[in-house]
Amino acid sequence: MKRSYFSGPYALWMVLFTICPMIFVLYYAFTNGDGGFSVQSILECLEPTTIRVFLRSVKLAFICTVICLILGYPAAQILASKDFSKYKLLFVLFILPMWMNFLLRTYATMSLLERRGIINTILERFGFEPLTLIGTEGAVVFGMVYNYLPFMILPIHTALKKMDTRVIEAAQDLGANPLRVFTRVIFPLSIPGVISGITMVFMPAVTTFAISRLLGSGNFMLLGDMIETQFLEMHDWSFGSALSMFMMVIIVLSIGLLNRIDPSKGERSGNW
Amino acid sequence: MKRLFKYLKGTYLGLLLLLLYSPIAVMIVLSFNQSKSRANFSWGGLKWYYELFYESPEIIEALKLTLTVAILATIISIVLGTLGAIGIHACKKGYATMLMNLSYLPMTMPDIVTGVSLMLMFVFVNTYVYFPRGFVTMLIAHITFDTPYVLFSVMPKLKQMNPNAYEAALDLGCRPMKAIVKVILPEISPGIVTGGLLAFTMSLDDFVISFFTSESNNLSMLVYAAAKRGVEPTIYALSTLIFIAILILLIIINKRSDLESIS
């Protein structure tokens, strides 16, 4: 028996449970309720209401990614630095939340932000007016940042740790000031990690529906919410499928875009 | 000056940790609260823990389902993924590239699309033969998103291996099956362990795909439903227990090996 036959069961499984289901999505996207060919659902994706939802999803995911990058990059750098890399447990503390169920984490943020939650209780104790925190875009972004920050820190940390420190020393010896060392040497060398971090934060953020549903109190829809609603509440599978295809296109486009920036094509600094 | 910088850096890390852990800390504190209120705290002992174990059968059911699916999906995806990797490694280049690209697909696809597409297929099958969305469909879905992680963890180990070792075993009269068990498996076992751990955590953590492919609740689905209803301190108690379990597990793993290799 040839060794290559071992890939048989795997190939069969993947075709059966990833390719076949995609064909169903395609089928529903291009048919109407009676099963006849129709592009109506596809056209519905281009209507102003849908476009608004789409833009809001991208906006929130983008803000979340930027905040994660701004907060996460220095953290990754400090954790990888000589002073702190000896405390291995410290690094563990930063990625530990990744292992905690993400709904439990979101549930935890709810208890902070709610109308009668911890933040408002503290504010009232000190005589301030309670704030409306939950149900706002800010709350959703906070929830996303809180959930996805470790996913930004981890790959950047890995990239920085792998960096040849002699290159940095060489730049210093040749008279570059710290800012220049960072902009010309450290940052460019860490770009694969940054890209991997951006992917790991932006992708789940742009497709989420649980976070926006729980922290946005259903006040506004994101693309993920819209897909979920079409399938489980409106039972409009055709429009839901069209939206799913739409989302796939966004993901493929953004991955393509990110890969173009990535100088080390193919050999990505791994997520694990 | 240098010392000052070090303190500043430490403070920054401390603030971030505060951000990451304050919701969890609040939850742990509230799990010992007497009342459901979040505004007042009065010590209530293990009240909610008692309720969790003795009066919340649906939480225990969900916990059982989550663990069963995670364990089974991990075992099956280890077998499928390892065999797949060995097979692909021995394949001709074109076919191998095609299979690798096929494996990237579920990893890049948004969870919600994976979930929805599987749901459509399961519902379709259910109109012809009895195939309800429940344990089996959830297991199939989990195996589907777990297996590529095993494959991608095993693949690099196969590439690092000396390709002549397997041939040598055959030349020395070993049967192919035995050669795989005796020569290839020991070499790739670290990859299998890494992949298995990844698959297990992915499966434990999954919400979106399970949400669409199953009607029986796993833990995440249960928490989602509870969160929509409002405050439920039993969930706080559950979170506290899970948090402590993960903390202990990670400290043990960290003691044993370099954590970065599995993260």
Side-chain angles (χ1 to χ4, degrees), chain B residues 18-252:
Chain B
L18 189 70
L19 170 80
L20 285 175
Y21 284 92
S22 59
I24 297 172
V26 164
M27 243 182 0
I28 293 176
V29 171
L30 286 178
S31 75
F32 295 106
N33 199 0
Q34 175 70 36
S35 71
K36 277 194 174 188
S37 155
R38 296 177 198 187
N40 306 306
F41 181 82
S42 54
W43 180 254
L46 295 176
K47 182 180 163 189
W48 302 113
Y49 292 86
Y50 181 85
E51 196 163 296
L52 170 69
F53 283 109
Y54 295 103
E55 283 157 42
S56 324
E58 77 283 356
I59 297 184
I60 303 300
E61 275 308 304
L63 198 61
K64 273 188 204 155
L65 178 69
T66 310
L67 284 174
T68 323
V69 168
I71 291 168
L72 285 178
T74 305
I75 294 171
I76 298 172
S77 58
I78 281 179
V79 174
L80 269 180
T82 308
L83 286 180
I86 294 174
I88 290 174
H89 189 62
C91 274
K92 287 205 191 70
K93 197 149 187 270
Y95 183 62
T97 326
M98 197 183 76
L99 273 179
M100 287 305 267
N101 285 335
L102 180 62
S103 316
Y104 275 118
L105 192 64
M107 292 175 93
T108 45
M109 226 161 32
D111 279 358
I112 191 167
V113 178
T114 311
V116 159
S117 62
L118 280 167
M119 180 185 87
L120 289 177
M121 188 166 88
F122 292 146
V123 170
F124 174 79
V125 174
N126 194 30
T127 54
Y128 291 95
V129 286
Y130 179 69
F131 195 62
R133 275 182 294 146
F135 174 74
V136 177
T137 50
M138 194 195 271
L139 182 62
I140 289 175
H142 279 226
I143 295 168
T144 309
F145 70 73
D146 277 346
T147 311
Y149 287 101
V150 178
L151 187 98
F152 284 114
S153 310
V154 172
M155 219 48 176
K157 299 283 173 229
L158 278 170
K159 289 211 175 114
Q160 284 164 16
M161 231 185 98
N162 183 349
N164 298 324
Y166 175 76
E167 304 291 333
L170 293 188
D171 288 347
L172 292 170
C174 206
R175 286 165 171 280
M177 214 44 219
K178 198 175 172 195
I180 284 173
V181 174
K182 288 270 178 186
V183 179
I184 296 183
L185 275 188
E187 288 275 329
I188 60 175
S189 59
I192 298 178
V193 173
T194 311
L197 276 172
L198 267 173
F200 188 69
T201 41
M202 287 289 163
S203 185
L204 278 188
D205 213 37
D206 180 63
F207 163 66
V208 179
I209 296 173
S210 310
F211 184 70
F212 284 102
T213 52
S214 162
E215 275 166 351
S216 17
N217 281 345
N218 71 1
L219 209 56
S220 307
M221 291 156 77
L222 190 98
V223 175
Y224 182 68
K228 275 169 115 182
R229 281 199 301 271
V231 199
E232 257 168 70
T234 41
I235 302 285
Y236 294 153
L238 179 73
S239 307
T240 306
L241 293 179
I242 291 178
F243 179 72
I244 291 168
I246 295 169
L247 192 66
I248 293 171
L249 205 72
L250 272 186
I251 290 173
I252 294 171

Side-chain angles (χ1 to χ4, degrees), chain A residues 10 71 93 101 111 114 272, chain B residues 12 21 38 103 205 220 263:
Chain A
Y10 175 74
L71 289 178
L93 278 178
N101 188 300
S111 60
E114 264 184 341
W272 33 82
Chain B
Y12 180 70
Y21 284 92
R38 296 177 198 187
S103 316
D205 213 37
S220 307
S263 48

Side-chain angles (χ1 to χ4, degrees), chain A residues 207-233:
Chain A
T207 61
T208 185
F209 73 92
I211 296 178
S212 52
R213 194 58 66 81
L214 295 181
L215 295 174
S217 322
N219 286 350
F220 45 86
M221 264 202 180
L222 298 187
L223 207 50
D225 296 88
M226 205 166 178
I227 295 179
E228 191 254 2
T229 317
Q230 294 309 321
F231 278 102
L232 299 180
E233 281 162 40

